Amino acid sequence: MAQLWGGRFTKATDEAVYAFNASLSFDSRLYAKDIEGSMAHAKMLGKQGIISKEDEEQILKGLAQIKTEIEEGKLTFSPEYEDIHSFVEAILTDRIGDAGKRLHTGRSRNDQVALDMRMYVRDQVLKTDQALYELLKELHKLMKEHLSTYMPGFTHMQKAQPVTFAHHLGAYFEMFARDRGRMKDAYKRMNYCPLGAGALAGTTYPLDRKYTAELLGFYGPTANSMDSVSDRDYVIEFLSDLSLVMMHLSRFCEEIICWNSNEYGFVEMDDTYSTGSSIMPQKKNPDVAELIRGKTGRVYGALTSMLTTMKGIPLAYNKDMQEDKEVFFDASDTALTCITLFTGMIATMKVRKDRMEKSAVLGFTNATDAADYLVKKGVPFRDAHGIIGRLVLYCLDKGCAIDDLSLQELKTISEVFEEDVFDAISLKTCVENRLTYGAPGSAGMKQVIEEHETYLSKELPREV
Ligand code: ARG
């Protein structure tokens, strides 16, 4: 056990307690951020004359070397170190002696871990944003291809009115674009540097907090040292953003699972994104979509877990906050993988245009338009609604669509029907007549697609 704090103790830590308290097994993932933060701290200490230039140089060289060795697999995280901060400092001190011991001047592990975590979360926000951007690009591509792929739009899982596949996909484009907006917003709020907050009350050394903040790419230093070491709301905020992303993905997956079923047959998953059954040779299962839907629970779990962990913690640092890491790492890895796989899944799936159109026609999705047709001929809407209702019953009895009836048959239900009814209730007319901005008609859709084009060229993801 190589601990940073043995001086005040007369007995060694109980082994089970040591293991319970230690975090290296999971916070080792923060090594690059820990080293980057320490380098900025050392540069600042040197600049302020708190340590000598010579010590600064030795520290920087030593830290760079440690980073390279970890990356090359030459330095492994051994459990005798409590956490990533102890690990880096102990190895550094082993190698460069007293200079290494000076690195922690004016710093506490409390502001150190707050810094590491913030930098890590910040990267994850950018990586997730990049993945969402790729997803939006794929959706945009599919939307352009399917402007006149007609399909039923549903309410209560019942066929309602005709839409296009482009329009249905467009609904998700909006959701994922809003998710990006939320993350951008969260990023702006979290991008302040807690380094220099010390344990909780700042330090007596003349630190230049603006300088370290700048070196590490923050907008500036955090304004309250107690808040700096106690705040994990940026973790929660991002987890809530991820929960919304997962909720959107999960709904989309649920639809894809339905659409991919034998009954719908609207889409077919590519073999590369499907799995088989060990017993039923005919099966091709949409496991990727099901797993994404399933993994949504984990991400919600992380959000609930962190909200619960934080709710009773008095200011300032308490060890409870170490619990942020495992759930966060798991949730952000999960969400990132899900977004990426989902994008690949929809990019490769086959869209069965014929099945979608047939389903729209056989599902009376033009019933509202048929009623509107009568209204345009002078029938009051409530009466028209009743007439078309009777017409639907008649068709159900015959097992056909409204479009399949002859004018003669239509006239037995209402004399108002004329030859022009067939064009008025065709799937194409029904969709194209929906011409308002935001509706599935191609006029409105083209405008929206153009706006998406501008959005995609302007709202580029930032490099991590
Ligand atoms: N492993 C700790 C965490 O993740 C680091 C901070 C420890 N600070 C302390 N005062 N024990 O929160």
Side-chain angles (χ1 to χ4, degrees):
M1 296 179 199
Q3 288 153 325
L4 296 173
W5 39 261
R8 188 227 177 279
F9 290 77
T10 53
K11 289 197 246 168
T13 320
D14 176 271
E15 256 179 53
V17 171
Y18 181 83
F20 188 61
N21 182 56
S23 54
L24 186 65
S25 63
F26 49 87
D27 68 15
S28 57
R29 185 195 279 239
L30 297 173
Y31 80 88
K33 300 300 173 204
D34 197 72
I35 291 173
E36 202 187 325
S38 288
M39 285 176 139
H41 185 64
K43 281 183 197 161
M44 184 277 296
L45 292 176
K47 179 180 92 68
Q48 296 297 93
I50 300 168
I51 61 171
S52 68
K53 277 280 154 195
E54 215 170 77
D55 282 348
E56 176 195 335
E57 266 161 41
Q58 276 202 51
I59 292 172
L60 293 180
K61 241 177 83 188
L63 287 172
Q65 182 63 28
I66 292 174
K67 185 160 183 263
T68 311
E69 287 179 30
I70 294 174
E71 266 148 23
E72 288 172 351
K74 289 183 188 145
L75 193 56
T76 47
F77 303 109
S78 101
E80 75 207 73
Y81 301 99
E82 184 185 329
D83 55 25
I84 187 61
H85 326 295
S86 321
F87 174 83
V88 173
E89 189 179 320
I91 305 281
L92 183 72
T93 303
D94 269 358
R95 293 180 179 183
I96 65 169
D98 282 355
K101 293 186 196 160
R102 293 198 177 99
L103 170 63
H104 211 53
T105 314
R107 188 174 69 168
S108 155
R109 276 186 299 164
N110 298 352
D111 59 344
Q112 194 176 355
V113 74
L115 173 69
D116 294 1
M117 196 59 186
R118 225 179 253 241
M119 289 201 291
Y120 186 87
V121 175
R122 194 172 66 167
D123 276 8
Q124 290 305 108
V125 173
L126 296 182
K127 282 186 193 163
T128 311
D129 183 60
Q130 170 82 48
L132 282 176
Y133 183 79
E134 297 302 326
L135 170 55
L136 288 176
K137 270 204 318 204
E138 187 53 45
L139 285 173
H140 184 247
K141 182 170 156 266
L142 287 171
M143 284 171 75
K144 283 196 290 189
E145 283 168 27
H146 291 286
L147 269 173
S148 49
T149 302
Y150 305 118
M151 68 180 282
F154 297 83
T155 62
H156 313 272
M157 283 288 276
Q158 310 275 330
K159 293 175 195 176
Q161 290 179 343
V163 295
T164 64
F165 190 47
H167 192 247
H168 199 119
L169 296 174
Y172 285 104
F173 189 104
E174 301 304 321
M175 296 179 225
F176 294 121
R178 284 198 296 275
D179 289 334
R180 284 191 79 204
R182 265 185 282 274
M183 286 183 195
K184 197 171 167 184
D185 197 39
Y187 184 96
K188 278 194 220 151
R189 246 188 305 282
M190 78 174 64
N191 197 28
Y192 290 88
C193 185
L195 189 62
L200 76 163
T203 85
T204 53
Y205 298 96
L207 308 186
D208 185 347
R209 293 194 59 213
K210 276 198 176 139
Y211 179 69
T212 38
E214 202 177 295
L215 285 179
L216 296 167
F218 288 99
Y219 301 141
T222 47
N224 181 293
S225 61
M226 287 178 75
D227 175 49
S228 310
V229 293
S230 317
D231 166 30
R232 297 291 182 274
D233 56 12
Y234 62 93
V235 175
I236 295 176
E237 192 172 359
F238 183 45
L239 284 173
S240 108
D241 295 345
L242 290 180
S243 296
L244 285 171
V245 171
M246 292 303 296
M247 183 267 286
H248 291 148
L249 281 179
S250 184
R251 289 183 80 171
F252 208 162
C253 283
E254 166 67 12
E255 295 196 314
I256 287 174
I257 292 161
C258 289
W259 294 345
N260 186 64
S261 68
N262 307 117
E263 282 68 21
Y264 280 76
F266 286 7
V267 296
E268 190 187 328
M269 293 298 104
D270 195 62
D271 280 3
T272 53
Y273 278 81
S274 309
T275 50
S277 155
S278 60
I279 176 170
M280 297 166 281
Q282 84 282 14
K283 290 299 272 302
K284 188 168 133 182
N285 300 327
D287 286 18
V288 173
E290 288 170 18
L291 271 172
I292 295 174
R293 188 177 59 183
K295 284 177 191 288
T296 301
R298 274 201 205 210
V299 179
Y300 290 4
L303 172 63
T304 311
S305 163
M306 275 312 291
L307 282 167
T308 313
T309 296
M310 296 304 291
K311 76 182 260 297
I313 308 183
L315 299 182
Y317 180 83
N318 296 268
K319 194 67 175 240
D320 317 40
M321 283 189 280
Q322 179 166 290
E323 285 293 304
D324 62 355
K325 293 174 194 64
E326 285 160 293
V327 287
F328 178 77
F329 295 156
D330 181 67
S332 67
D333 287 351
T334 300
L336 201 51
T337 310
C338 288
I339 301 166
T340 310
L341 281 176
F342 183 86
T343 306
M345 180 178 75
I346 60 166
T348 53
M349 77 185 176
K350 195 190 289 160
V351 179
R352 307 274 308 274
K353 208 175 149 125
D354 54 325
R355 297 271 312 191
M356 287 186 177
E357 287 193 16
K358 202 164 161 205
S359 165
V361 172
L362 288 175
F364 304 106
T365 59
N366 53 0
T368 316
D369 298 79
D372 287 343
Y373 168 86
L374 294 175
V375 170
K376 279 181 205 140
K377 300 262 176 196
V379 181
F381 180 77
R382 198 43 64 211
D383 292 342
H385 189 284
I387 294 168
I388 303 301
R390 287 200 297 284
L391 191 63
V392 167
L393 264 183
Y394 178 81
C395 290
L396 282 173
D397 204 39
K398 262 192 94 175
C400 69
I402 303 177
D403 317 51
D404 296 333
L405 300 177
S406 67
L407 184 57
Q408 239 176 336
E409 282 174 296
L410 287 168
K411 276 193 179 291
T412 61
I413 307 233
S414 166
E415 268 302 321
V416 184
F417 286 116
E418 303 287 348
E419 192 57 44
D420 60 352
V421 66
F422 295 106
D423 183 51
I425 63 163
S426 81
L427 207 49
K428 187 168 179 329
T429 313
C430 293
V431 170
E432 294 308 337
N433 276 351
R434 295 188 149 73
L435 38 73
T436 50
Y437 178 76
S442 58
M445 279 301 294
K446 277 183 187 148
Q447 196 185 334
V448 169
I449 286 178
E450 233 167 75
E451 286 169 11
H452 288 168
E453 197 109 25
T454 314
Y455 165 88
L456 289 170
S457 65
K458 285 206 178 130
E459 297 283 327
L460 293 170
R462 274 181 45 179
E463 294 286 318
V464 180

